[in-house]
Amino acid sequence: MVVIGGGVTGLSAALFLKQAGKRVCLLERDRLGHGDTIHTTAHLTCDTDARLTQLVKTFGADQAALAWYGGACALDLIEQIVTENRIECEFRRTPGFLTAALDGTRDETGDLQHEATVARKLGFDVDFVPCVPVVDKPGIRIRDQGKFHPMAYLAGLANLVQGDGCSIHESTTVTDVESAPLAVLANGFKIACDYVVIATHVPLTGKNGLVKASLLQSKLTSYSTYVVSGRLPAVQVPDLSLWDTGNPYYYLRVDAGNDFDRIIFGGNDHKTGQETDTENCYDRLAQTLSRVLPNAKLDHRWSGQVVATNDGLPLIGETTDRQFVATGFNGNGITFGTLAGMMARDAVLKKENPWQGLFSVGRTKILGGGWEYVKQNMDFPYYFLADHMRRLKHATARAIKRGEGQILKIDGQRVACSRDARGRLLKVSAVCTHLGCLVRWNDAEKTWDCPCHGSRFLPEGEVLAGPAETPLEPLAPSKRKQKIKPAADA
């Protein structure tokens, strides 16, 4: 078996397959967990980004309950792995709260009471609370949710996977999947296998072919999300996790400590590549947190990427014979990733799984009908045409300061130019290698982001996040001297 991707999904799948008696080879392009898993805030909850009442309307009560039950099962499975293998990752059960929108003024009491009533009818331990701790807003409390240190947990999983015929290979880039016979090409080697599990954030093309892979990717939308963290005087607020009803929503995690409490606060999501002032996303986040917890002292910040689906549930299952993918986890990466690992094991073993129909990659039921699907996919033609037809202004690369990036036109080519902290000018093609849109400079993260489908690249052109699978092309040698013009606002 070959598992591609070394985040929580890939390592979970590898462990469960190993426990089932399979020999597993796990391939990771970078370091284990250094994709999107390292950026998670690790809220472990059965709640989903789509409200439970909305899931009931879309899928029916039984299927909505099954979706929540999947998160609860994943939580139990994580706890079992941690306990049985004594993984020191600070795992603990804690209540989770869904609260009225932090920036909202509308009275949401009735909506939240109804949400709690529906959850209780479906068998979940949920209560309406008139005043959620910390934020002093109405909400619902979900008992026995959880938190842990994600990288410590992944290290524990890796130790369990490695050995006894199973292996993990970091810094190993998969370049192709051959189907006859089934084999994975990586770092110049060909690895023959019986089955392939693609556990990358956005699935690789694999042996699907471009058309089929693009159809799957059209069901996904990539969002950038922002996080700030810091310290709070000890014992000021309870140990908890909460998230609000806003769209996009805020999420807060408080970890109690002896000398001080650690807080993590995130939100201000937007479609990747479609926000011009990414620094402002951090500023607005800090301002909102200061209203909620004025004594918080911030010391870290980072951003991550969330891959969402139109109906709020993930896409997990076989895309073709002996090829399994898992994606579209929305804000539930850890729990859905763990559940996907179990589903991958069952698919390999040809066992029925309770979630294989609900999370099927081929399902056609879409939240809000077909119009929502169409709206999510209007970005590609809009940005493709707008960027390629935009009028140019005169400028030179000398105007680019350290830490800045801009798209310029050089010898007829649209070039992504940026200057690093040492003053070195980096130049690569500005054309995304996925479907040809122009990338845009992310000032806060110092990356090139594609506004069409969310691919992200380092300044040198290397792929940071898919669906693009190949780097931005290096700049072709100049044939003649030519004026340099900016091709688009970066």
Side-chain angles (χ1 to χ4, degrees):
M1 307 290 128
V2 170
V3 175
I4 304 172
V8 67
T9 306
L11 283 166
S12 298
L15 174 60
F16 300 150
L17 285 167
K18 179 180 180 178
Q19 291 174 338
K22 301 296 183 180
R23 291 181 60 197
V24 182
C25 176
L26 186 147
L27 309 176
E28 164 56 40
R29 180 181 63 193
D30 192 359
R31 299 284 305 278
L32 293 179
H34 278 243
D36 286 276
T37 301
I38 197 173
H39 298 119
T40 181
T41 54
H43 292 248
L44 309 180
T45 177
C46 64
D47 190 17
T48 57
D49 283 9
R51 298 278 69 83
L52 181 60
T53 48
Q54 184 62 61
L55 292 179
V56 170
K57 291 179 182 178
T58 306
F59 298 100
D62 290 345
Q63 296 297 297
L66 186 61
W68 267 44
Y69 185 57
C73 285
L75 253 168
D76 290 342
L77 195 53
I78 290 170
E79 185 173 31
Q80 179 183 345
I81 293 170
V82 169
T83 302
E84 291 182 353
N85 299 283
R86 298 181 180 179
I87 299 176
E88 296 183 359
C89 61
E90 303 171 24
F91 177 87
R92 59 194 179 279
R93 293 283 185 168
T94 185
F97 293 89
L98 169 66
T99 179
L102 299 186
D103 291 338
T105 57
R106 184 176 69 88
D107 184 3
E108 299 183 56
T109 299
D111 293 341
L112 291 163
Q113 287 175 331
H114 180 55
E115 190 84 11
T117 299
V118 171
R120 285 196 303 274
K121 286 182 178 179
L122 295 179
F124 297 96
D125 194 358
V126 174
D127 294 308
F128 170 79
V129 289
C131 188
V132 172
V134 181
V135 296
D136 295 331
K137 285 179 173 286
I140 66 173
R141 176 178 55 214
I142 312 171
R143 291 182 174 82
D144 288 330
Q145 304 304 282
K147 295 186 294 185
F148 67 2
H149 190 298
M151 295 305 290
Y153 177 68
L154 256 62
L157 291 184
N159 289 333
L160 295 172
V161 170
Q162 185 72 36
D164 299 323
C166 297
S167 57
I168 295 173
H169 303 272
E170 297 179 306
S171 301
T172 304
T173 301
V174 172
T175 54
D176 199 7
V177 178
E178 297 181 348
S179 57
L182 186 60
V184 174
L185 277 61
N187 283 16
F189 294 91
K190 180 183 289 189
I191 307 166
C193 56
D194 297 326
Y195 202 98
V196 176
V197 176
I198 298 179
T200 52
H201 198 46
V202 175
L204 303 176
T205 300
K207 59 173 184 167
N208 278 335
L210 181 60
V211 173
K212 195 171 182 180
S214 296
L215 179 61
L216 173 61
Q217 290 163 0
S218 74
K219 298 178 181 180
L220 306 171
T221 305
S222 296
Y223 290 88
S224 295
T225 185
Y226 298 83
V227 184
V228 294
S229 73
R231 298 183 175 190
L232 194 69
V235 200
Q236 285 206 351
V237 295
D239 193 69
L240 55 74
S241 293
L242 66 81
W243 48 97
D244 77 349
T245 60
N247 186 21
Y249 63 88
Y250 292 110
Y251 44 97
L252 173 68
R253 169 175 169 167
V254 180
D255 296 336
N258 294 325
D259 299 324
F260 61 87
D261 295 341
R262 169 63 61 178
I263 56 170
I264 301 174
F265 185 64
N268 287 339
D269 301 11
H270 62 78
K271 286 187 178 181
T272 297
Q274 297 187 20
E275 172 61 54
T276 56
D277 189 356
T278 49
E279 281 286 349
N280 187 46
C281 294
Y282 285 116
D283 294 340
R284 288 188 286 113
L285 202 60
Q287 291 168 7
T288 302
L289 179 62
S290 69
R291 297 199 309 267
V292 178
L293 292 171
N295 293 329
K297 304 296 183 184
L298 299 181
D299 51 23
H300 290 87
R301 72 176 199 179
W302 67 90
S303 75
Q305 193 176 50
V306 175
V307 177
T309 60
N310 293 305
D311 57 21
L313 296 183
L315 300 172
I316 305 173
E318 287 190 334
T319 53
T320 188
D321 183 46
R322 295 188 294 158
Q323 179 171 285
F324 186 97
V325 305
T327 187
F329 296 158
N330 297 274
N332 299 85
I334 299 296
T335 48
F336 279 148
T338 302
L339 192 67
M342 182 177 66
M343 293 176 65
R345 177 203 62 196
D346 290 348
V348 170
L349 299 177
K350 304 297 182 184
K351 292 176 56 178
E352 291 290 323
N353 184 281
W355 293 277
Q356 65 186 35
L358 180 61
F359 296 159
S360 168
V361 296
R363 70 175 183 270
T364 56
K365 192 156 222 172
I366 299 170
L367 182 61
W371 175 236
E372 184 68 22
Y373 177 85
V374 171
K375 285 193 298 181
Q376 293 295 345
N377 285 281
M378 288 174 66
D379 291 334
F380 172 61
Y382 172 79
Y383 283 99
F384 184 88
L385 292 174
D387 284 347
H388 282 275
M389 296 178 65
R390 189 168 297 172
R391 296 183 64 182
L392 310 181
K393 298 178 182 178
H394 292 282
T396 68
R398 290 191 297 272
I400 299 176
K401 300 177 181 179
R402 298 187 184 195
E404 293 183 350
Q406 190 175 2
I407 296 178
L408 307 176
K409 193 166 187 179
I410 304 175
D411 288 345
Q413 300 180 74
R414 294 171 184 267
V415 182
C417 300
S418 62
R419 198 175 297 278
D420 65 17
R422 295 180 296 170
R424 181 179 52 144
L425 183 66
L426 305 171
K427 297 185 289 184
V428 292
S429 171
V431 180
C432 178
T433 54
H434 179 225
L435 289 178
C437 292
L438 295 187
V439 295
R440 296 186 170 194
W441 181 248
N442 183 329
D443 187 58
E445 302 304 317
K446 314 305 180 191
T447 59
W448 292 107
D449 299 350
C450 178
C452 291
H453 298 102
S455 298
R456 301 185 67 202
F457 304 86
L458 296 175
E460 297 83 357
E462 296 177 13
V463 176
L464 184 61
E469 298 179 20
T470 55
L472 296 175
E473 295 181 0
L475 183 62
S478 175
K479 296 180 181 179
R480 61 186 177 85
K481 292 185 177 180
Q482 182 172 318
K483 288 183 178 180
I484 301 175
K485 306 174 183 180
D489 295 331

